[in-house]
Amino acid sequence: MATITKDTIIGDILDLDGTTAPFFLEMGMHCLGCPSSRGETLEQACAVHGVDADELVEKLNQHLQSK
């Protein structure tokens, strides 16, 4: 299983596992189908939405490891 980092591209995370979408929706990122948002890194998206990138990385990796 892949490990998510702050440099991972949002589209790559969603392609890896679609069940990660709710994590982005919870932070207010409702434009997941938009090509520009899918091309952002996790860190860039977190900066725009005021979310702690390290915390989201941890949550996503825990979610993926629990599958």
Side-chain angles (χ1 to χ4, degrees), residues 1-2 4 8-21 24 32-35 38-39 60 64 67:
M1 179 57 63
I4 306 299
T8 306
I9 303 295
I10 300 285
D12 292 344
I13 298 170
L14 294 169
D15 291 344
L16 174 68
D17 189 330
T19 66
T20 58
F24 298 104
L32 295 178
C34 173
R38 287 183 57 93
L60 287 168
L64 293 173
K67 298 187 103 196

PDB file of all heavy atoms in Angstrom, residues 1-2 4 8-21 24 32-35 38-39 60 64 67:
ATOM      1  N   MET A   1       0.848  -1.188   0.000  1.00  0.00           N
ATOM      2  CA  MET A   1       0.000   0.000   0.000  1.00  0.00           C
ATOM      3  C   MET A   1       0.888   1.244   0.000  1.00  0.00           C
ATOM      4  O   MET A   1       1.899   1.301   0.677  1.00  0.00           O
ATOM      5  CB  MET A   1      -0.900  -0.035   1.247  1.00  0.00           C
ATOM      6  CG  MET A   1      -1.833   1.158   1.413  1.00  0.00           C
ATOM      7  SD  MET A   1      -2.986   1.557   0.099  1.00  0.00           S
ATOM      8  CE  MET A   1      -4.029   0.138   0.050  1.00  0.00           C
ATOM      9  N   ALA A   2       0.462   2.220  -0.760  1.00  0.00           N
ATOM     10  CA  ALA A   2       1.210   3.475  -0.872  1.00  0.00           C
ATOM     11  C   ALA A   2       1.092   4.293   0.411  1.00  0.00           C
ATOM     12  O   ALA A   2       0.121   4.172   1.150  1.00  0.00           O
ATOM     13  CB  ALA A   2       0.681   4.284  -2.042  1.00  0.00           C
ATOM     14  N   ILE A   4       0.865   8.126   1.893  1.00  0.00           N
ATOM     15  CA  ILE A   4       0.523   9.493   1.537  1.00  0.00           C
ATOM     16  C   ILE A   4       1.495  10.439   2.241  1.00  0.00           C
ATOM     17  O   ILE A   4       1.807  10.255   3.415  1.00  0.00           O
ATOM     18  CB  ILE A   4      -0.919   9.827   1.973  1.00  0.00           C
ATOM     19  CG1 ILE A   4      -1.915   8.803   1.422  1.00  0.00           C
ATOM     20  CG2 ILE A   4      -1.299  11.251   1.586  1.00  0.00           C
ATOM     21  CD1 ILE A   4      -1.991   8.702  -0.052  1.00  0.00           C
ATOM     22  N   THR A   8       1.961  14.405  -1.995  1.00  0.00           N
ATOM     23  CA  THR A   8       1.141  13.551  -2.840  1.00  0.00           C
ATOM     24  C   THR A   8       0.049  14.384  -3.507  1.00  0.00           C
ATOM     25  O   THR A   8      -0.562  15.246  -2.879  1.00  0.00           O
ATOM     26  CB  THR A   8       0.504  12.412  -2.010  1.00  0.00           C
ATOM     27  OG1 THR A   8       1.530  11.714  -1.302  1.00  0.00           O
ATOM     28  CG2 THR A   8      -0.228  11.427  -2.897  1.00  0.00           C
ATOM     29  N   ILE A   9      -0.183  14.123  -4.776  1.00  0.00           N
ATOM     30  CA  ILE A   9      -1.191  14.837  -5.560  1.00  0.00           C
ATOM     31  C   ILE A   9      -2.583  14.322  -5.185  1.00  0.00           C
ATOM     32  O   ILE A   9      -2.796  13.116  -5.068  1.00  0.00           O
ATOM     33  CB  ILE A   9      -0.930  14.634  -7.074  1.00  0.00           C
ATOM     34  CG1 ILE A   9       0.487  15.095  -7.451  1.00  0.00           C
ATOM     35  CG2 ILE A   9      -1.990  15.321  -7.917  1.00  0.00           C
ATOM     36  CD1 ILE A   9       0.743  16.562  -7.282  1.00  0.00           C
ATOM     37  N   ILE A  10      -3.527  15.253  -5.014  1.00  0.00           N
ATOM     38  CA  ILE A  10      -4.897  14.897  -4.612  1.00  0.00           C
ATOM     39  C   ILE A  10      -5.493  13.856  -5.561  1.00  0.00           C
ATOM     40  O   ILE A  10      -6.084  12.870  -5.120  1.00  0.00           O
ATOM     41  CB  ILE A  10      -5.808  16.153  -4.587  1.00  0.00           C
ATOM     42  CG1 ILE A  10      -5.280  17.182  -3.597  1.00  0.00           C
ATOM     43  CG2 ILE A  10      -7.252  15.766  -4.304  1.00  0.00           C
ATOM     44  CD1 ILE A  10      -5.490  16.889  -2.157  1.00  0.00           C
ATOM     45  N   GLY A  11      -5.345  14.061  -6.860  1.00  0.00           N
ATOM     46  CA  GLY A  11      -5.893  13.113  -7.835  1.00  0.00           C
ATOM     47  C   GLY A  11      -5.321  11.715  -7.662  1.00  0.00           C
ATOM     48  O   GLY A  11      -6.034  10.724  -7.828  1.00  0.00           O
ATOM     49  N   ASP A  12      -4.040  11.630  -7.314  1.00  0.00           N
ATOM     50  CA  ASP A  12      -3.412  10.324  -7.099  1.00  0.00           C
ATOM     51  C   ASP A  12      -4.001   9.630  -5.876  1.00  0.00           C
ATOM     52  O   ASP A  12      -4.189   8.411  -5.873  1.00  0.00           O
ATOM     53  CB  ASP A  12      -1.900  10.466  -6.942  1.00  0.00           C
ATOM     54  CG  ASP A  12      -1.210  10.900  -8.227  1.00  0.00           C
ATOM     55  OD1 ASP A  12      -1.832  10.810  -9.317  1.00  0.00           O
ATOM     56  OD2 ASP A  12      -0.050  11.352  -8.145  1.00  0.00           O
ATOM     57  N   ILE A  13      -4.294  10.402  -4.839  1.00  0.00           N
ATOM     58  CA  ILE A  13      -4.898   9.829  -3.627  1.00  0.00           C
ATOM     59  C   ILE A  13      -6.277   9.288  -3.954  1.00  0.00           C
ATOM     60  O   ILE A  13      -6.634   8.166  -3.587  1.00  0.00           O
ATOM     61  CB  ILE A  13      -4.985  10.880  -2.502  1.00  0.00           C
ATOM     62  CG1 ILE A  13      -3.587  11.348  -2.104  1.00  0.00           C
ATOM     63  CG2 ILE A  13      -5.747  10.318  -1.292  1.00  0.00           C
ATOM     64  CD1 ILE A  13      -3.563  12.561  -1.183  1.00  0.00           C
ATOM     65  N   LEU A  14      -7.078  10.077  -4.665  1.00  0.00           N
ATOM     66  CA  LEU A  14      -8.431   9.659  -5.020  1.00  0.00           C
ATOM     67  C   LEU A  14      -8.422   8.456  -5.954  1.00  0.00           C
ATOM     68  O   LEU A  14      -9.277   7.567  -5.832  1.00  0.00           O
ATOM     69  CB  LEU A  14      -9.195  10.826  -5.645  1.00  0.00           C
ATOM     70  CG  LEU A  14      -9.465  11.993  -4.702  1.00  0.00           C
ATOM     71  CD1 LEU A  14      -9.981  13.189  -5.482  1.00  0.00           C
ATOM     72  CD2 LEU A  14     -10.457  11.597  -3.615  1.00  0.00           C
ATOM     73  N   ASP A  15      -7.474   8.418  -6.881  1.00  0.00           N
ATOM     74  CA  ASP A  15      -7.367   7.275  -7.787  1.00  0.00           C
ATOM     75  C   ASP A  15      -6.927   6.022  -7.040  1.00  0.00           C
ATOM     76  O   ASP A  15      -7.358   4.917  -7.366  1.00  0.00           O
ATOM     77  CB  ASP A  15      -6.375   7.566  -8.923  1.00  0.00           C
ATOM     78  CG  ASP A  15      -6.897   8.616  -9.894  1.00  0.00           C
ATOM     79  OD1 ASP A  15      -8.119   8.904  -9.880  1.00  0.00           O
ATOM     80  OD2 ASP A  15      -6.080   9.160 -10.662  1.00  0.00           O
ATOM     81  N   LEU A  16      -6.081   6.199  -6.048  1.00  0.00           N
ATOM     82  CA  LEU A  16      -5.596   5.079  -5.245  1.00  0.00           C
ATOM     83  C   LEU A  16      -6.740   4.446  -4.462  1.00  0.00           C
ATOM     84  O   LEU A  16      -6.875   3.231  -4.394  1.00  0.00           O
ATOM     85  CB  LEU A  16      -4.503   5.561  -4.278  1.00  0.00           C
ATOM     86  CG  LEU A  16      -3.974   4.556  -3.263  1.00  0.00           C
ATOM     87  CD1 LEU A  16      -3.196   3.454  -3.968  1.00  0.00           C
ATOM     88  CD2 LEU A  16      -3.088   5.258  -2.246  1.00  0.00           C
ATOM     89  N   ASP A  17      -7.585   5.306  -3.872  1.00  0.00           N
ATOM     90  CA  ASP A  17      -8.691   4.803  -3.048  1.00  0.00           C
ATOM     91  C   ASP A  17      -9.783   5.867  -2.975  1.00  0.00           C
ATOM     92  O   ASP A  17      -9.612   6.886  -2.306  1.00  0.00           O
ATOM     93  CB  ASP A  17      -8.187   4.465  -1.655  1.00  0.00           C
ATOM     94  CG  ASP A  17      -9.222   3.742  -0.811  1.00  0.00           C
ATOM     95  OD1 ASP A  17     -10.438   3.964  -1.012  1.00  0.00           O
ATOM     96  OD2 ASP A  17      -8.823   2.957   0.054  1.00  0.00           O
ATOM     97  N   GLY A  18     -10.874   5.622  -3.668  1.00  0.00           N
ATOM     98  CA  GLY A  18     -11.983   6.568  -3.703  1.00  0.00           C
ATOM     99  C   GLY A  18     -12.634   6.803  -2.358  1.00  0.00           C
ATOM    100  O   GLY A  18     -13.311   7.817  -2.171  1.00  0.00           O
ATOM    101  N   THR A  19     -12.414   5.899  -1.399  1.00  0.00           N
ATOM    102  CA  THR A  19     -13.023   6.083  -0.075  1.00  0.00           C
ATOM    103  C   THR A  19     -12.320   7.181   0.719  1.00  0.00           C
ATOM    104  O   THR A  19     -12.728   7.491   1.836  1.00  0.00           O
ATOM    105  CB  THR A  19     -13.036   4.781   0.754  1.00  0.00           C
ATOM    106  OG1 THR A  19     -11.697   4.391   1.072  1.00  0.00           O
ATOM    107  CG2 THR A  19     -13.756   3.653   0.016  1.00  0.00           C
ATOM    108  N   THR A  20     -11.294   7.798   0.142  1.00  0.00           N
ATOM    109  CA  THR A  20     -10.632   8.921   0.805  1.00  0.00           C
ATOM    110  C   THR A  20     -11.370  10.238   0.548  1.00  0.00           C
ATOM    111  O   THR A  20     -11.106  11.229   1.231  1.00  0.00           O
ATOM    112  CB  THR A  20      -9.169   9.068   0.330  1.00  0.00           C
ATOM    113  OG1 THR A  20      -9.160   9.244  -1.093  1.00  0.00           O
ATOM    114  CG2 THR A  20      -8.341   7.849   0.712  1.00  0.00           C
ATOM    115  N   ALA A  21     -12.289  10.256  -0.400  1.00  0.00           N
ATOM    116  CA  ALA A  21     -13.002  11.491  -0.759  1.00  0.00           C
ATOM    117  C   ALA A  21     -13.641  12.190   0.438  1.00  0.00           C
ATOM    118  O   ALA A  21     -13.553  13.418   0.545  1.00  0.00           O
ATOM    119  CB  ALA A  21     -14.040  11.213  -1.840  1.00  0.00           C
ATOM    120  N   PHE A  24     -11.576  14.831   2.206  1.00  0.00           N
ATOM    121  CA  PHE A  24     -11.448  16.115   1.516  1.00  0.00           C
ATOM    122  C   PHE A  24     -12.740  16.920   1.609  1.00  0.00           C
ATOM    123  O   PHE A  24     -12.710  18.138   1.781  1.00  0.00           O
ATOM    124  CB  PHE A  24     -11.041  15.898   0.057  1.00  0.00           C
ATOM    125  CG  PHE A  24      -9.704  15.233  -0.069  1.00  0.00           C
ATOM    126  CD1 PHE A  24      -9.603  13.900  -0.408  1.00  0.00           C
ATOM    127  CD2 PHE A  24      -8.539  15.935   0.192  1.00  0.00           C
ATOM    128  CE1 PHE A  24      -8.380  13.273  -0.502  1.00  0.00           C
ATOM    129  CE2 PHE A  24      -7.295  15.322   0.096  1.00  0.00           C
ATOM    130  CZ  PHE A  24      -7.222  13.986  -0.246  1.00  0.00           C
ATOM    131  N   LEU A  32     -13.724  18.179  -5.955  1.00  0.00           N
ATOM    132  CA  LEU A  32     -12.819  17.062  -6.204  1.00  0.00           C
ATOM    133  C   LEU A  32     -12.758  16.642  -7.669  1.00  0.00           C
ATOM    134  O   LEU A  32     -11.785  16.048  -8.099  1.00  0.00           O
ATOM    135  CB  LEU A  32     -13.202  15.860  -5.336  1.00  0.00           C
ATOM    136  CG  LEU A  32     -13.046  16.069  -3.837  1.00  0.00           C
ATOM    137  CD1 LEU A  32     -13.499  14.833  -3.086  1.00  0.00           C
ATOM    138  CD2 LEU A  32     -11.624  16.419  -3.487  1.00  0.00           C
ATOM    139  N   GLY A  33     -13.793  16.951  -8.442  1.00  0.00           N
ATOM    140  CA  GLY A  33     -13.788  16.598  -9.854  1.00  0.00           C
ATOM    141  C   GLY A  33     -13.090  17.623 -10.720  1.00  0.00           C
ATOM    142  O   GLY A  33     -12.850  17.388 -11.902  1.00  0.00           O
ATOM    143  N   CYS A  34     -12.751  18.753 -10.154  1.00  0.00           N
ATOM    144  CA  CYS A  34     -12.125  19.836 -10.906  1.00  0.00           C
ATOM    145  C   CYS A  34     -10.658  19.477 -11.207  1.00  0.00           C
ATOM    146  O   CYS A  34      -9.925  19.101 -10.295  1.00  0.00           O
ATOM    147  CB  CYS A  34     -12.194  21.120 -10.076  1.00  0.00           C
ATOM    148  SG  CYS A  34     -11.288  22.489 -10.775  1.00  0.00           S
ATOM    149  N   PRO A  35     -10.255  19.592 -12.470  1.00  0.00           N
ATOM    150  CA  PRO A  35      -8.866  19.235 -12.814  1.00  0.00           C
ATOM    151  C   PRO A  35      -7.810  20.006 -12.017  1.00  0.00           C
ATOM    152  O   PRO A  35      -6.776  19.449 -11.662  1.00  0.00           O
ATOM    153  CB  PRO A  35      -8.759  19.576 -14.298  1.00  0.00           C
ATOM    154  CG  PRO A  35     -10.164  19.528 -14.799  1.00  0.00           C
ATOM    155  CD  PRO A  35     -11.030  19.962 -13.645  1.00  0.00           C
ATOM    156  N   ARG A  38      -7.543  18.471  -8.485  1.00  0.00           N
ATOM    157  CA  ARG A  38      -6.941  17.134  -8.544  1.00  0.00           C
ATOM    158  C   ARG A  38      -5.438  17.201  -8.783  1.00  0.00           C
ATOM    159  O   ARG A  38      -4.727  16.265  -8.477  1.00  0.00           O
ATOM    160  CB  ARG A  38      -7.606  16.284  -9.632  1.00  0.00           C
ATOM    161  CG  ARG A  38      -9.013  15.839  -9.246  1.00  0.00           C
ATOM    162  CD  ARG A  38      -9.616  14.936 -10.302  1.00  0.00           C
ATOM    163  NE  ARG A  38      -8.811  13.762 -10.558  1.00  0.00           N
ATOM    164  CZ  ARG A  38      -8.959  12.583  -9.957  1.00  0.00           C
ATOM    165  NH1 ARG A  38      -9.894  12.430  -9.045  1.00  0.00           N
ATOM    166  NH2 ARG A  38      -8.196  11.571 -10.263  1.00  0.00           N
ATOM    167  N   GLY A  39      -4.949  18.330  -9.300  1.00  0.00           N
ATOM    168  CA  GLY A  39      -3.526  18.479  -9.573  1.00  0.00           C
ATOM    169  C   GLY A  39      -2.746  19.105  -8.438  1.00  0.00           C
ATOM    170  O   GLY A  39      -1.521  19.187  -8.496  1.00  0.00           O
ATOM    171  N   LEU A  60      -5.259  10.060   6.652  1.00  0.00           N
ATOM    172  CA  LEU A  60      -5.365   9.315   5.398  1.00  0.00           C
ATOM    173  C   LEU A  60      -4.562   8.018   5.452  1.00  0.00           C
ATOM    174  O   LEU A  60      -5.046   6.962   5.019  1.00  0.00           O
ATOM    175  CB  LEU A  60      -4.892  10.182   4.232  1.00  0.00           C
ATOM    176  CG  LEU A  60      -5.839  11.306   3.824  1.00  0.00           C
ATOM    177  CD1 LEU A  60      -5.144  12.270   2.881  1.00  0.00           C
ATOM    178  CD2 LEU A  60      -7.106  10.752   3.189  1.00  0.00           C
ATOM    179  N   LEU A  64      -6.027   4.211   5.096  1.00  0.00           N
ATOM    180  CA  LEU A  64      -5.568   3.266   4.082  1.00  0.00           C
ATOM    181  C   LEU A  64      -5.003   1.996   4.711  1.00  0.00           C
ATOM    182  O   LEU A  64      -5.195   0.897   4.178  1.00  0.00           O
ATOM    183  CB  LEU A  64      -4.526   3.919   3.181  1.00  0.00           C
ATOM    184  CG  LEU A  64      -5.050   5.056   2.299  1.00  0.00           C
ATOM    185  CD1 LEU A  64      -3.904   5.746   1.568  1.00  0.00           C
ATOM    186  CD2 LEU A  64      -6.087   4.550   1.307  1.00  0.00           C
ATOM    187  N   LYS A  67      -7.557  -0.829   5.897  1.00  0.00           N
ATOM    188  CA  LYS A  67      -8.326  -1.570   4.886  1.00  0.00           C
ATOM    189  C   LYS A  67      -7.782  -2.951   4.668  1.00  0.00           C
ATOM    190  O   LYS A  67      -6.677  -3.238   4.843  1.00  0.00           O
ATOM    191  CB  LYS A  67      -8.331  -0.796   3.578  1.00  0.00           C
ATOM    192  CG  LYS A  67      -9.012   0.545   3.784  1.00  0.00           C
ATOM    193  CD  LYS A  67      -9.178   1.227   2.502  1.00  0.00           C
ATOM    194  CE  LYS A  67     -10.635   1.005   2.220  1.00  0.00           C
ATOM    195  NZ  LYS A  67     -11.077   1.230   0.939  1.00  0.00           N
TER     196      LYS A  67
END
